[in-house]
Amino acid sequence: MGKFRKMESLKSKCLAAAILLVAMAALTEAITPKVIQGVVEAERKMTLGGVPGNASKECVDAIDILFLPTSTQLKEYVFDAFGKPQAGILQGNLHWLGHYDECRSIKVPEYNIQYKYCATFFDVNFTAITKTKSPEVLLAWGVCVPKECTETDIQNYLYVFVEMLNLTKYIEPANDKSFVSCAYEDHIPYSAGFVGTITLFSAIFLLMLLGAAYDCYLRYHRKNSSKMVVYTNTSTNNSAQNGRAGEAPINDDTAETKDDDTPLILVQEPPKHAIWEQFLLSFALNRNLAKLLNTNPGADRTIGCLNGLRVISMAWVILGHTFFFPSQMGIIGNLPTAVGWYQTFGFQVVGNAFFSVDSFFFMSGLLLTYITLKKMAKTSGKIPWAWFYFHRYWRLTPAILITTLIWMYIKPWVGDGPLWRSFQNTDSCIKYWWTNILYINNFYPQSFMHECIGWVWYLANDMQFFIISPFILVPLYFLPWLGLSLIGVLLAGSFAVTGALVGINKLGANGIAIPGVEATGADFSSVIYGKPYCRIPPYLVGMILGYLMYKQGDRRIRLNPALVSLGWTVATVIGMSCVYGLLGAYKGDLTLAGSILYEMLSRFAWAVSLSWLVFACREGYGGWVDDILSWSFWLPLSRVTYSAYLLHPIIIYIFLGNVKNTQMASLWLQPTYFVGYFVMSYGAAVVMALFIEFPFANLEKLFVPARRG
């Protein structure tokens, strides 16, 4: 995002715009001698061997037909479909995509020729045009050519065309090897990866149906020959029944009472299933759907407010991506207007949506510490650490692999448009998919641009934190002072490393350009944003709170109302300072020292404010905040938040990739898109959870019979 925030005023680029207008003026009319001259000249040079990789004979012959005396109407349609300069060049509107559908509808039956649409990409060298240092801007130009012309043919034509117009100093291909992306024609070729993915998905779906059918059979059979036992419930004293806010009691729907009001539970003797039965029932759609929709929190370890916090944080992630992705993909035609939103107070909650990820880090550290220490208390500190790691890897990795398959082999089939093929970008996954399942993708490859499904950088960080957690958890249990000291050392180290990296690379907070400071060219996302040593503070703060909650046990902390009010006030001020603290920076009031301080402490401070929120809600001081966050409605949604995180970028990319012309950013339309993305993401997440998450969680019991670590 810093790339877009560094945009200088476009007023100084009027000359650049004028030159581009002159260069493309030939395309402002349906037919002009200049365009024809350029195409003919390009064809002549390639036919004579004027450029490397001459155009194919089929392409040359097809283009020749365009200039027959009888092809006047054909020329009108073809050049009408070409991309042309649009209004808003000074606003960065350099996506001249033309008319995709018109181009693809052009046919010449008598010659058996049909036209296809291709998007071409050029880097505009504003520095050479304005004689002042300026960032390069991508120009996308849609061209309409015969199907007989390959992408290499079109590249060669464009080389000559740009040379003929004497524009080689000002625009150049965005990629020397491939700067032309032609739309898919009739259909995408069936690849082995596509066939294999569909086969795998079909097999899993069949298992879901067979499992459900078998479960129904067992229920019917058990209903007619069930063996029941009766026992007295003497375990009614759980923390939820003691009134702990946010921890709901187990729902005993089968409870009956005797005359003395002693609860009796009718329990069906659990059947013993063979391995194949357990395997099949793990996929049973009806069973997993019942688990998903159950609003009973179940275990007393549940902290109710975390359910709402988890879903709201996910909504915040999607909101930020709703505004960021169109800019990142270069399809915004009024980019300076969108960038200007960052200078307004209200938009800071969108521009600083980065803290939503820190909320997840905080919750992860909190729950891990709280739950693990409680288990260690029951086993005298003994935890099977091998299963501890296996459990985490098993629960996360299958969904990542399925997401990668969807990105590589399913997504290309669900779109069409001028930019659709150029948005596929599956090469990175072919090369680097394995880095995701090893959870090292935040270190290799080096650049975010080369990562396979780059948004899983978060999972790499979280897994790396998880790997080192036993070295903190064990001291916290046996020698608390040592464990807390280790957390303090890690926090201090994170502050020091983050501050040093920002200072050495002269990076602005959140990638914002610092006025008067010449940046080193380091990428903020690769150096700071995705690195564990910069992102660990919220996780460590969560571990501290988890430890304190474990030590507190079921005891209720009594606080003076004035102290409660002070806690809420301080937490609110800290949280607001984190979210709105960069408002002045977007207006040009940012220093290197301020950037260092903000990057060092902001994530830590955000986690501190969340700590009070969770503590207050758990202890009964949350009021209406706890009522909202602990609402049972959030519980099913919170169970599929992981899948929603994995799938929502794909849904956004699919929508944007199907856009057939430049988008204009609008503060009124973007919220509408956000609601659509949110609903579709959670809808897809439900499918993913029933398809992968729940079945694989059930399968774990086949080789880990008792829950361990």
Side-chain angles (χ1 to χ4, degrees):
M1 187 177 292
K3 169 184 174 183
F4 300 104
R5 296 174 185 166
K6 296 176 183 177
M7 288 188 63
E8 302 174 359
S9 172
L10 291 179
K11 293 180 180 178
S12 63
K13 299 169 183 170
C14 291
L15 177 60
I19 292 177
L20 285 173
L21 279 171
V22 171
M24 308 303 293
L27 302 180
T28 57
E29 297 292 339
I31 308 174
T32 65
K34 192 68 173 177
V35 171
I36 297 176
Q37 177 189 349
V39 174
V40 172
E41 181 68 12
E43 178 186 332
R44 184 186 67 81
K45 285 192 175 184
M46 284 189 293
T47 304
L48 298 176
V51 293
N54 301 333
S56 63
K57 183 178 184 303
E58 294 79 7
C59 178
V60 173
D61 291 342
I63 290 180
D64 281 340
I65 295 171
L66 186 66
F67 302 104
L68 294 175
T70 58
S71 300
T72 301
Q73 188 176 21
L74 173 63
K75 286 195 286 285
E76 290 177 354
Y77 276 105
V78 170
F79 287 107
D80 184 48
F82 264 66
K84 306 171 184 66
Q86 300 179 12
I89 291 177
L90 299 183
Q91 284 270 311
N93 188 7
L94 295 179
H95 269 55
W96 305 335
L97 300 181
H99 204 291
Y100 176 79
D101 294 318
E102 180 181 35
C103 175
R104 288 167 61 88
S105 68
I106 297 174
K107 298 180 181 179
V108 188
E110 56 269 33
Y111 294 103
N112 194 27
I113 291 176
Q114 187 172 349
Y115 276 72
K116 66 181 179 181
Y117 179 96
C118 298
T120 67
F121 302 93
F122 297 90
D123 287 325
V124 181
N125 188 352
F126 277 122
T127 300
I129 296 170
T130 63
K131 308 303 180 184
T132 59
K133 188 171 183 179
S134 304
E136 286 188 343
V137 178
L138 186 69
L139 166 66
W141 180 29
V143 298
C144 189
V145 296
K147 278 190 174 182
E148 286 73 13
C149 295
T150 65
E151 292 182 355
T152 301
D153 293 334
I154 300 165
Q155 288 177 196
N156 290 332
Y157 269 105
L158 290 172
Y159 273 123
V160 178
F161 187 70
V162 171
E163 177 186 327
M164 189 203 71
L165 294 176
N166 296 319
L167 292 174
T168 52
K169 291 190 298 184
Y170 307 114
I171 63 174
E172 59 183 10
N175 185 322
D176 286 338
K177 295 182 179 179
S178 177
F179 62 96
V180 175
S181 176
C182 294
Y184 296 113
E185 296 179 14
D186 298 327
H187 63 81
I188 307 170
Y190 294 108
S191 65
F194 173 79
V195 174
T197 300
I198 293 298
T199 302
L200 173 63
F201 288 2
S202 300
I204 295 175
F205 183 66
L206 180 60
L207 286 173
M208 293 167 64
L209 296 181
L210 290 176
Y214 189 64
D215 181 63
C216 291
Y217 164 76
L218 291 178
R219 289 173 184 268
Y220 176 79
H221 180 72
R222 199 176 305 139
K223 181 179 180 181
N224 297 317
S225 59
S226 60
K227 182 180 179 181
M228 312 297 289
V229 297
V230 179
Y231 70 93
T232 300
N233 181 10
T234 59
S235 177
T236 60
N237 185 28
N238 58 51
S239 61
Q241 292 165 323
N242 287 334
R244 174 57 58 85
E247 298 183 353
I250 297 176
N251 182 20
D252 294 326
D253 293 329
T254 59
E256 295 184 359
T257 57
K258 292 170 57 178
D259 293 339
D260 60 358
D261 293 330
T262 304
L264 292 178
I265 310 297
L266 292 179
V267 178
Q268 184 173 332
E269 190 174 82
K272 295 181 180 180
H273 297 300
I275 292 295
W276 71 267
E277 291 179 300
Q278 296 179 53
F279 176 85
L280 190 59
L281 292 174
S282 295
F283 290 87
L285 177 60
N286 59 328
R287 284 191 172 195
N288 292 328
L289 184 60
K291 292 179 184 178
L292 172 62
L293 298 180
N294 183 15
T295 57
N296 176 11
D300 62 359
R301 70 190 184 191
T302 301
I303 305 170
C305 65
L306 294 185
N307 295 323
L309 184 60
R310 187 176 290 113
V311 178
I312 292 173
S313 296
M314 189 66 247
W316 200 6
V317 171
I318 296 174
L319 178 65
H321 287 165
T322 298
F323 282 83
F324 173 55
F325 277 18
S327 299
Q328 181 192 46
M329 298 168 75
I331 61 173
I332 296 297
N334 57 338
L335 191 56
T337 298
V339 171
W341 295 341
Y342 289 89
Q343 299 180 7
T344 62
F345 180 83
F347 197 76
Q348 298 307 297
V349 73
V350 178
N352 237 342
F354 306 110
F355 287 114
S356 57
V357 181
D358 295 305
S359 299
F360 283 113
F361 285 140
F362 163 78
M363 288 185 282
S364 184
L366 163 63
L367 289 173
L368 172 70
T369 305
Y370 178 58
I371 294 171
T372 304
L373 289 179
K374 288 184 68 176
K375 289 182 179 179
M376 294 176 73
K378 295 178 180 178
T379 60
S380 300
K382 297 179 181 179
I383 291 289
W385 296 111
W387 291 116
F388 175 85
Y389 286 120
F390 175 81
H391 171 74
R392 183 73 168 183
Y393 188 85
W394 180 263
R395 295 298 294 271
L396 295 183
T397 308
I400 293 179
L401 286 172
I402 292 297
T403 302
T404 304
L405 291 176
I406 293 173
W407 176 263
M408 294 179 66
Y409 301 117
I410 302 300
K411 180 173 68 72
W413 284 82
V414 291
D416 185 29
L419 298 175
W420 179 248
R421 187 175 175 190
S422 65
F423 280 178
Q424 298 314 305
N425 189 27
T426 58
D427 291 343
S428 294
C429 280
I430 294 173
K431 294 179 181 178
Y432 301 117
W433 65 270
W434 54 272
T435 63
N436 292 342
I437 62 172
L438 293 181
Y439 297 95
I440 60 172
N441 48 290
N442 56 338
F443 284 103
Y444 184 82
Q446 294 293 325
S447 173
F448 263 56
M449 300 299 293
H450 296 123
E451 287 186 28
C452 170
I453 55 173
W455 56 94
V456 297
W457 68 268
Y458 159 78
L459 297 173
N461 279 267
D462 193 68
M463 179 62 80
Q464 289 155 14
F465 301 155
F466 184 85
I467 290 172
I468 68 171
S469 65
F471 299 99
I472 301 174
L473 293 171
V474 172
L476 276 178
Y477 180 78
F478 290 104
L479 295 172
W481 66 267
L482 178 58
L484 293 173
S485 297
L486 286 173
I487 291 177
V489 170
L490 288 174
L491 281 172
S494 176
F495 297 154
V497 170
T498 301
L501 289 174
V502 173
I504 292 172
N505 294 285
K506 298 180 179 179
L507 295 169
N510 282 1
I512 304 172
I514 304 175
V517 175
E518 185 69 24
T520 62
D523 177 41
F524 176 83
S525 295
S526 300
V527 174
I528 301 292
Y529 191 74
K531 293 299 183 285
Y533 37 77
C534 298
R535 304 306 300 261
I536 198 172
Y539 194 91
L540 296 175
V541 173
M543 294 190 77
I544 295 173
L545 180 61
Y547 169 75
L548 295 177
M549 287 170 49
Y550 156 73
K551 294 296 291 184
Q552 177 193 351
D554 294 332
R555 298 187 304 273
R556 176 80 177 269
I557 296 179
R558 303 289 180 180
L559 295 180
N560 184 286
L563 192 57
V564 172
S565 298
L566 178 62
W568 277 109
T569 301
V570 173
T572 301
V573 170
I574 292 175
M576 295 280 286
S577 299
C578 293
V579 175
Y580 295 95
L582 292 180
L583 178 59
Y586 288 112
K587 297 180 179 180
D589 184 16
L590 181 64
T591 63
L592 182 58
S595 296
I596 293 173
L597 189 64
Y598 186 86
E599 288 298 327
M600 285 175 58
L601 301 177
S602 61
R603 296 181 180 90
F604 170 79
W606 176 254
V608 169
S609 68
L610 290 182
S611 296
W612 168 261
L613 184 149
V614 173
F615 168 80
C617 290
R618 186 172 185 266
E619 296 302 319
Y621 302 114
W624 61 269
V625 175
D626 185 41
D627 291 340
I628 293 175
L629 294 179
S630 299
W631 184 22
S632 59
F633 168 79
W634 300 118
L635 188 53
L637 294 179
S638 71
R639 293 189 179 115
V640 299
T641 294
Y642 174 52
S643 290
Y645 180 84
L646 289 175
L647 296 177
H648 83 274
I650 299 179
I651 290 172
I652 298 177
Y653 274 119
I654 288 174
F655 176 81
L656 296 178
N658 278 282
V659 170
K660 293 189 177 181
N661 215 323
T662 306
Q663 270 197 336
M664 295 297 171
S666 166
L667 280 175
W668 302 104
L669 288 179
Q670 298 304 114
T672 304
Y673 297 148
F674 158 69
V675 172
Y677 294 151
F678 181 85
V679 172
M680 288 188 289
S681 296
Y682 268 89
V686 168
V687 176
M688 172 78 94
L690 297 175
F691 198 74
I692 297 296
E693 281 199 80
F694 282 34
F696 276 81
N698 297 331
L699 287 175
E700 183 182 5
K701 299 173 185 177
L702 294 180
F703 34 84
V704 190
R707 186 177 291 275
R708 309 175 183 177

